[in-house]
Amino acid sequence: MPKAARKTAVPESVPAPAFAERLAQRRDELEWLFMELYDDRAAFQRLLDTMSESSAARPEDLRDLDEAREKDPEWYKRGDMFGMTMYTDLFAGSLNKLADNIPYLKEQKLTYLHLMPLLQMPHPYNDGGYAVEDFDNVDPMFGTNEDLAALTRKLRAAGISLCLDFVMNHTASSHRWAKAAEAGDPEYQDYYFCYDDRTVPDEYDAHVPQVFPNTAPGNFTWNEKMGKWVMTQFYPFQWDLNYRNPKVLVGMLSSVMHLANLGVEVFRLDAVPYIWKEFGTNCRNLPQVHTIVRMLRIVLECVCPAVVLKGEVVMAPKELAAYFGTPDKPECHMLYNVSIMVNLWSALANGDTRLLKAQIDALDALPDNCWFVNYLRCHDDIGWGLDEDEERRLGIDPLKHKKFLYHFYEGAVPGSWAMGELYNYDEASGDARSCGTTASLTGVERAIITHDRPALDTAVDRDLLLHRAMSFLRGFPMLSCGDEIAQLNGWDYKEDPSRIDDSRNLHRSRFDWDKAALRHTPGTLQNRLWEGMESLREMRDDPCFAPDAWVTTWDAHNDAVLAVLRKQGDRVIVGLFNFSGVAQSARLDGSEGVMSAFDAELAPYEARVIVR
């Protein structure tokens, strides 16, 4: 089946002069990895040809960016990095209209913008854009490839790097490869996992956990037209790709390079631990995954070294380091900090920072090349994947604790201030996740409904406490669009038949521009949050937020208080965060060559930075 035409012009006809030099430095390793995995010389040559073609097509301004980033390889680790994630349609409607609102983004001094999936997708069932039917073209509902390229140019001029998701594990069932497979073409059936009967699927199911046991049970779906079972670990309309076939890898890498040439500077690798399947295993975190990610890193370093990789790896800290690779053979530049997000919310509900401190310590113990994007909320749910061994060590029952947390954040626990909903509740296992915006989960919505001004003040303090603690940690902060104006839950999703089945739509609501207009009006809720976010950027302007700063927790001798120390040269700053609704005392011991001992009194939900 012929490849769909890409809707973008080719500005150059020869590879960048530096391409040959970059490739010469890395070719041996790339070839060794590719041949070890596939032993297919012709396929490797196709990859090299594709890399050369992509280098030739790279616009001149992006080549200039490549050169600048090679001289500043840790640009994404600077203290002034400040990110935001959003849905294009919910924020502005289209890529062109989003471009018109760049001044709003510049107001917040953003340096990083993550747009939710916007590549061509089926409608209406597309898993929020994570079912992709064309990795090379923008979905018409957002605009065109030319619109995307124009947006990235304007963002670069504003000092903002664009991040897009790259869904490596699967395609939509309407992708051209899947349609050819469904039509009976054996070549394209080998792009997926297709079986005539249940023998192999049953063997897989014996070892492979289900991703969505309630909403999408099983790992395989029967396709009547093809007369075969096809692997669909996520949803029936998302077909898992077979990376044992080198054509799949080369095709996907080609699309990554194409998007990079449209100006995408960061790729979030969606569900990357799942991409390699091996009989008799749980098909998670297999060695071949790292081989593929390492090859992707090499390819980008040759063709478009300005581009960085952000992995979505929802795993325990001990499993994260592998996704960064090593300093000599790096993989992802950074990862989503899922575990800290979950532990921040847990600490807020409990007023107990012990699990949070233990998780921060585990992450800070990772090698220096490990870097994180820290966040409180995103497009997804809060999955209560806490460290169960640490919970037991602290005398906490993991299942009871999980139930307490998800019931607390749906507002079903006495004394809860939160207003959220459950997602993927499983009665048999007692498992569930939580949905809601930051403001609604911290009590802002309930206080507004009850006209309780003191409760509203406290809710704002909780909201800002979480944002300040998140922003003080190793890595850089990313806001969820709307958090800067305390956007509340969008309960109207229940009135839309196409959205009502997914409670995550509770926090996927249209951006409220009327509320945003109040951001500079003193005394308004929006102004308090807006100025609070400005204080985060001011805090991170300190030299102690340099990439090589030493970051560690410190004993506050009070489980309600999280203490984090940052040291750069002789300068030391300490962040104190009271996760309790009552005033707390903290006592920090001194350490020779670091700081002298001191005591501090903290108001309820207070976050304070102290220079030592």
Side-chain angles (χ1 to χ4, degrees):
M1 176 174 287
K3 192 174 183 66
R6 289 170 171 168
K7 303 168 188 173
T8 187
V10 178
E12 299 286 342
S13 58
V14 295
F19 170 71
E21 181 180 346
R22 296 178 192 132
L23 179 59
Q25 295 171 353
R26 299 166 175 83
R27 174 170 173 151
D28 286 349
E29 184 188 355
L30 180 61
E31 183 174 5
W32 184 83
L33 292 170
F34 193 96
M35 295 303 291
E36 181 186 44
L37 199 61
Y38 296 120
D39 192 24
D40 189 328
R41 184 70 56 185
F44 180 66
Q45 186 58 52
R46 285 196 297 273
L47 174 59
L48 294 180
D49 292 343
T50 302
M51 292 168 64
S52 179
E53 292 166 4
S54 296
S55 177
R58 193 152 175 80
E60 193 63 37
D61 59 335
L62 293 178
R63 294 184 181 187
D64 292 341
L65 184 64
D66 291 335
E67 184 177 347
R69 292 274 170 82
E70 285 187 298
K71 296 175 182 176
D72 183 22
E74 294 197 326
W75 62 272
Y76 59 93
K77 293 185 176 181
R78 291 195 298 262
D80 65 354
M81 285 295 291
F82 200 74
M84 177 172 282
T85 181
M86 65 172 59
Y87 284 90
T88 300
D89 54 333
L90 297 179
F91 178 70
S94 69
L95 293 172
N96 286 336
K97 290 180 181 178
L98 193 155
D100 292 339
N101 285 289
I102 288 178
Y104 178 81
L105 307 181
K106 286 185 66 177
E107 247 190 278
Q108 300 177 72
K109 298 182 177 65
L110 295 185
T111 60
Y112 173 102
L113 179 65
H114 177 187
L115 295 181
M116 289 292 98
L118 48 75
L119 299 180
Q120 190 169 316
M121 64 190 78
H123 296 278
Y125 300 109
N126 53 51
D127 188 26
Y130 287 93
V132 181
E133 67 180 15
D134 187 343
F135 288 88
D136 294 325
N137 289 301
V138 170
D139 192 283
M141 72 176 285
F142 302 109
T144 65
N145 284 11
E146 288 75 18
D147 296 336
L148 177 59
L151 172 65
T152 61
R153 284 193 297 272
K154 292 176 181 177
L155 288 171
R156 283 196 301 280
I160 302 172
S161 298
L162 181 68
C163 171
L164 285 188
D165 289 85
F166 194 74
V167 185
M168 292 191 68
N169 182 69
H170 46 257
T171 75
S173 57
S174 52
H175 189 282
R176 59 183 178 275
W177 294 346
K179 299 304 288 184
E182 189 177 58
D185 189 328
E187 177 183 357
Y188 285 94
Q189 288 179 358
D190 192 40
Y191 278 50
Y192 302 96
F193 296 90
C194 305
Y195 302 100
D196 294 326
D197 57 42
R198 286 291 311 184
T199 304
V200 173
D202 286 344
E203 179 64 24
Y204 269 108
D205 283 345
H207 299 93
V208 179
Q210 298 179 60
V211 177
F212 300 127
N214 294 311
T215 54
N219 290 304
F220 290 83
T221 298
W222 174 253
N223 184 271
E224 192 66 39
K225 292 182 180 178
M226 186 168 55
K228 292 178 182 289
W229 291 92
V230 60
M231 182 180 285
T232 56
Q233 286 196 89
F234 286 76
Y235 287 101
F237 50 83
Q238 292 167 312
W239 291 17
D240 286 58
L241 285 165
N242 175 18
Y243 279 93
R244 293 176 177 278
N245 183 344
K247 294 178 182 178
V248 169
L249 178 66
V250 174
M252 295 295 280
L253 293 183
S254 174
S255 292
V256 171
M257 289 182 276
H258 169 63
L259 293 171
N261 282 352
L262 293 177
V264 179
E265 297 181 39
V266 185
F267 287 101
R268 174 188 175 272
L269 303 181
D270 180 68
V272 67
Y274 297 79
I275 62 176
W276 191 270
K277 279 72 175 177
E278 191 74 43
F279 235 37
T281 74
N282 67 357
C283 298
R284 308 282 195 273
N285 303 305
L286 298 177
Q288 294 87 345
V289 171
H290 299 287
T291 299
I292 290 172
V293 177
R294 175 62 186 146
M295 284 194 286
L296 172 56
R297 174 76 177 252
I298 294 172
V299 167
L300 296 180
E301 287 179 344
C302 292
V303 175
C304 44
V307 175
V308 299
L309 298 174
K310 177 176 71 172
E312 185 219 13
V313 183
V314 187
M315 302 291 169
K318 64 182 179 181
E319 296 173 316
L320 298 181
Y323 286 90
F324 291 101
T326 65
D328 292 335
K329 296 182 178 181
E331 295 178 24
C332 291
H333 297 76
M334 51 191 173
L335 297 183
Y336 255 11
N337 206 342
V338 179
S339 60
I340 289 300
M341 179 268 292
V342 173
N343 277 275
L344 283 165
W345 287 106
S346 172
L348 188 67
N350 294 318
D352 184 342
T353 68
R354 290 177 298 166
L355 279 175
L356 173 59
K357 182 179 183 300
Q359 198 75 356
I360 295 172
D361 289 340
L363 293 173
D364 286 345
L366 295 175
D368 291 340
N369 64 314
C370 301
W371 199 251
F372 295 94
V373 177
N374 299 315
Y375 65 102
L376 297 178
R377 295 298 299 114
C378 64
H379 69 287
D380 224 338
D381 54 84
I382 302 174
W384 298 107
L386 299 167
D387 186 336
E388 294 188 359
D389 290 337
E390 183 66 16
E391 286 181 295
R392 294 186 187 96
R393 190 185 73 79
L394 295 172
I396 300 170
D397 182 295
L399 183 57
K400 288 182 179 179
H401 188 209
K402 179 185 294 186
K403 289 181 176 179
F404 162 76
L405 289 170
Y406 64 65
H407 286 314
F408 184 94
Y409 283 108
E410 69 168 334
V413 172
S416 171
W417 58 74
M419 291 186 69
E421 283 194 313
L422 301 185
Y423 175 69
N424 258 16
Y425 174 69
D426 185 345
E427 185 175 2
S429 66
D431 191 33
R433 307 176 184 188
S434 298
C435 300
T437 68
T438 301
S440 292
L441 294 179
T442 53
V444 172
E445 184 170 357
R446 187 178 295 276
I448 290 174
I449 291 173
T450 58
H451 304 284
D452 189 333
R453 183 54 188 261
L456 180 60
D457 292 340
T458 301
V460 170
D461 289 341
R462 289 191 202 101
D463 190 310
L464 293 177
L465 168 76
L466 287 183
H467 276 101
R468 286 169 179 153
M470 174 266 290
S471 300
F472 203 82
L473 303 178
R474 184 180 179 183
F476 75 83
M478 181 179 71
L479 305 182
S480 180
C481 183
D483 276 3
E484 75 280 12
I485 57 168
Q487 187 145 328
L488 305 180
N489 290 333
W491 298 97
D492 58 349
Y493 87 91
K494 294 177 179 292
E495 300 169 10
D496 185 341
S498 68
R499 303 175 72 222
I500 191 172
D501 290 335
D502 191 337
S503 57
R504 292 176 298 181
N505 286 314
L506 181 64
H507 51 261
R508 299 173 180 174
S509 56
R510 194 165 300 281
F511 185 72
D512 194 334
W513 284 102
D514 290 336
K515 290 291 194 300
L518 301 173
R519 65 190 182 277
H520 299 306
T521 303
T524 63
L525 171 63
Q526 290 70 32
N527 179 249
R528 292 178 67 185
L529 265 294
W530 186 267
E531 291 190 347
M533 300 308 165
E534 175 62 27
S535 73
L536 302 183
R537 294 185 286 276
E538 293 172 353
M539 175 185 76
R540 290 181 57 83
D541 195 38
D542 192 283
C544 288
F545 284 88
D548 58 348
W550 180 46
V551 186
T552 183
T553 63
W554 211 263
D555 189 359
H557 295 285
N558 185 334
D559 291 339
V561 178
L562 173 70
V564 181
L565 180 147
R566 281 183 165 270
K567 186 175 188 296
Q568 175 70 3
D570 294 331
R571 182 174 176 80
V572 174
I573 62 174
V574 178
L576 296 177
F577 308 95
N578 178 11
F579 279 76
S580 167
V582 298
Q584 297 289 339
S585 299
R587 176 170 55 85
L588 279 73
D589 298 328
S591 178
E592 186 176 353
V594 181
M595 68 176 184
S596 57
F598 71 94
D599 297 325
E601 299 296 325
L602 299 170
Y605 301 117
E606 181 181 0
R608 189 190 309 172
V609 177
I610 299 174
V611 180
R612 299 300 296 166

